[in-house]
Amino acid sequence: MTAATSAATELRAEQDRGRKAAQNREKWAQSRTYISAVVILFWCLAPAYWMVVTAFRDVGYTYDTSILPTHITLDNFRTAFDTSFGNHFGQALLNSLFIGSVVTVVSLVIGVFAAYALARLNFKFKYLVLGFILGASMFPGVALITPLFQLFTNIGWMGTYQALIIPNISFVLPLTVYTMTSFFREMPWELEESARVDGCTQGQAFRKVIMPLAAPAIFTTAILAFISSWNEFLIASQLSSDATQPVTVAIASFAGAQPNQIPYTAIMAAGTIVTIPLVILVLVFQRKIVAGLTAGAVK
Amino acid sequence: MATEVGPTSVKAPASGGAPIHHAPKGVGEDNRIATQGRWAAWLLAPTILALSVVIVYPIITAIVMSFQKDAGLDPATGLFVEGGPAGFSNYYNWIFQQCPAPSGGTVDCPPGTLGAQFWSATGTTFFFTIVTVALETVLGFWMAVIMARAFRGRSLVRAAVLVPWAIPTAVTAKLWLFIFAFEGIGNKLFNTTVLWTGSEWPARWAVIIADVWKTTPFMALLILAGLQMIPAEVYEAAKVDGASAWQRFRMITLPLVKPALMVAILFRTLDALRMFDLPYILTGGANNTTTLSILVINQIRQGFNAAAALSTITFIIIFLVAFIFVRFLGANVVEQQTGAGKGKK
């Protein structure tokens, strides 16, 4: 063997070792990613899992800490809807649905025009308007509640639906406007021009080209608007009555048979009912919702 | 597209900014903007009007109310006193924690009354804000970095983080109340026997943990959106130049993700400063978990006008924090907002 070939062999071995080390590093990095992913999954899902497990657990075993479902029963769901302890969960579900729908529709109908103007038109004070709308969404609810409390007391609106719907619009409308603004800005508006060139009228271009493109954006915004109205608690906790209270208030004040014992299993059942539709909605439209969330950048 | 990061992309007209209403031939740019301006005014009018009714009007009312005396029984004479102009006395009473004295004038509010809680509530609010936002930023950044990597099951993780976000805060509060119950899974899992909602620090940590659980996903998704705007070539180039992982993170990731990160922190901070649902349901504001929002709500039924003064103070505090963020820390929400739609994909 000459010196040259042995040097070459050594070099190849060296390279091999280098490649192996790199592969190992890669593998190690990959497994670290997986470990992290599992930790994230556990952190996000474990509490939610515990809610569902408790919801199906017999009330006598409320504090059973076995991880798997045990003593499975549907009684808690019946208890959740039971009105004999002064709970109005069924009514509250309908109330939340009603309030959320009205708030969403009103905000979308009003907001879509503003979003169009902000996304597509050039005008003075554009940034001022955008700043005003963003500022409005960051507004603390307590700053509204005091004057509204007095106003609604004076005009006899306490505990009415309109007393809950109007303040909700104050934070859902800004969210609607700037989520839709960001969506509209990303839309390929050139297509409208092209459709016109190809012989569409303005109306046709809008109906056949723009509407189908804008529909997903509007739909996603509607989901986000509905969720934020559905989750509202502060204003409803002060301005609603037993007859008009939304689910968040109903769950927060859920009473059991014994006054000093919190009926956790029934509350978890109610919580599961309230949460499952949202979670399904969110998982089905995951991509769109994440886009809407990060565009609007709001909780 | 992907290279447009942060404020630089902003001053350019929005990508959809092509005028829809063509001005007549020979008419200049000014005229076109004027035409669009008229259109914009009409389109924006309903929103501005609605927001004026639901926000601006209540705020002005609240400020007017805050300068009025609360009508009520005079503690000295037991007679009903009319309201009337109060000057700054409502504000003065909150800030110096003064209550009306039986002999006229004011004295320090006795401990336990609402009037004596202003500074502790302010402290609690800022404590919650700083701790939760700090934890959420660190955890959210970590989650975002993981979610930005390519691995099998990534979409599962991205879906899972939306679960805490989707659960209503009222439900979250009850859920964590149950987890932190004395015989609950929390104590069992960590082999502790803490009465979580029974004393100051456990109660505070219970609120913080529940809040971090609920809102970290939002933070993570915002940061992830920021991370995805950074083109991969930049990392490749840095790798070729021999930058270590830590250097790449400090010199590339942090500065490029900063605009998105600042906006995320700003939003979360403003949100945490008005925190209400979680402590209100989880601890009822007991054991020094009363935030400013809870104090306002407790005050409403004892006097509108004093509550209005306190809510105005809360509003001013939040406004000042937002101002500091935008002015000194460079969180440009409006510019980020207008730029975000273009850079992201």
Side-chain angles (χ1 to χ4, degrees), chain B residues 287-306:
Chain B
N287 300 310
N288 267 328
T289 52
T290 296
T291 61
L292 280 169
S293 290
I294 294 179
L295 196 58
V296 174
I297 295 296
N298 290 340
Q299 173 64 41
I300 283 183
R301 286 183 174 79
Q302 302 198 10
F304 291 140
N305 296 333

Side-chain angles (χ1 to χ4, degrees), chain A residues 24-34, chain B residues 149:
Chain A
N24 279 339
R25 258 205 310 278
E26 191 88 333
K27 257 190 200 146
W28 172 226
Q30 194 72 2
S31 37
R32 259 188 327 195
T33 304
Y34 276 111
Chain B
R149 286 188 194 148

Side-chain angles (χ1 to χ4, degrees), chain A residues 29-30 32-34 36-37 39-45 47-48 50-51 54 62-63 65 67 110-111 113-114 116-124 126-127 129-134 136-151 153 166-167 169-170 173-174 177-179 182 185-186 189-190 192-193 224 227 230-234 237-238 248 251-254 262 264 267-268 271 274-275 278-279 282-283 286-287 289-291 293-299, chain B residues 10-20 22 33 36-37 39-40 43-44 46-48 50-52 54-59 61-62 65 139 142-143 146-147 149-152 155-171 174-179 181 183-185 188-189 209 212-218 221-222 225 263 267-268 270-271 274 276-277 280-281 293 296-297 300-301 304-305 307-308 311 314-315 318 333-334 337-338 341-342 344-345:
Chain A
Q30 194 72 2
R32 259 188 327 195
T33 304
Y34 276 111
S36 307
V39 172
I40 295 174
L41 280 179
F42 178 80
W43 165 249
C44 291
L45 297 182
W50 196 239
M51 175 171 78
T54 310
T62 303
Y63 294 105
T65 46
I67 300 301
I110 298 176
F113 297 110
Y116 181 86
L118 288 169
R120 290 219 59 204
L121 302 179
N122 281 319
F123 54 92
K124 263 190 245 172
K126 187 170 177 172
Y127 291 100
V129 174
L130 211 50
F132 171 71
I133 290 171
L134 269 168
S137 72
M138 284 294 112
F139 212 76
V142 284
L144 298 178
I145 195 89
T146 322
L148 290 181
F149 197 96
Q150 197 194 27
L151 177 72
T153 308
I166 291 171
I169 290 175
S170 73
L173 178 58
V177 170
Y178 62 70
T179 309
S182 341
R185 198 174 275 125
E186 282 180 58
W189 291 97
E190 315 84 72
E192 190 187 38
E193 300 276 311
L224 289 174
I227 288 178
W230 181 267
N231 292 355
E232 203 285 325
F233 174 74
L234 191 158
S237 72
Q238 302 305 311
T248 47
I251 285 177
S253 59
F254 203 90
I262 308 174
Y264 280 119
I267 294 177
M268 293 304 124
V274 169
T275 306
L278 295 195
V279 169
V282 162
L283 295 187
Q286 182 205 341
R287 279 180 162 281
I289 293 216
V290 170
L293 256 187
T294 49
V298 96
K299 190 176 75 167
Chain B
V10 170
K11 292 298 183 208
S15 60
I20 41 159
H22 296 283
I33 288 189
Q36 292 202 6
W39 261 100
L43 293 170
L44 288 166
T47 297
I48 303 284
L51 290 181
S52 302
V54 295
I55 292 183
V56 178
Y57 167 73
I59 287 317
T61 316
M65 280 166 71
L139 271 176
W142 172 67
M143 285 188 189
I146 300 296
M147 286 191 287
R149 286 188 194 148
F151 63 96
R152 212 181 302 164
S155 54
L156 181 70
V157 176
R158 286 189 186 180
V161 298
L162 282 171
V163 170
W165 172 81
I167 298 179
T169 313
V171 177
K174 284 288 184 191
L175 171 58
W176 284 93
L177 186 63
F178 178 54
I179 291 173
E183 302 164 88
I185 187 86
K188 163 95 178 186
L189 220 54
I209 292 170
V212 168
W213 180 72
K214 159 104 184 129
T215 47
T216 303
F218 170 73
L221 290 173
L222 281 191
V263 169
F267 277 139
R268 276 303 309 145
L270 299 188
D271 211 38
R274 57 183 178 179
F276 174 77
D277 308 15
Y280 190 76
I281 301 172
S293 290
V296 174
I297 295 296
I300 283 183
R301 286 183 174 79
F304 291 140
N305 296 333
S311 74
T314 309
F315 169 52
I318 294 180
V333 190
V334 174
Q337 185 60 30
T338 48
K342 303 196 326 175
K344 199 170 60 279
K345 245 294 100 98

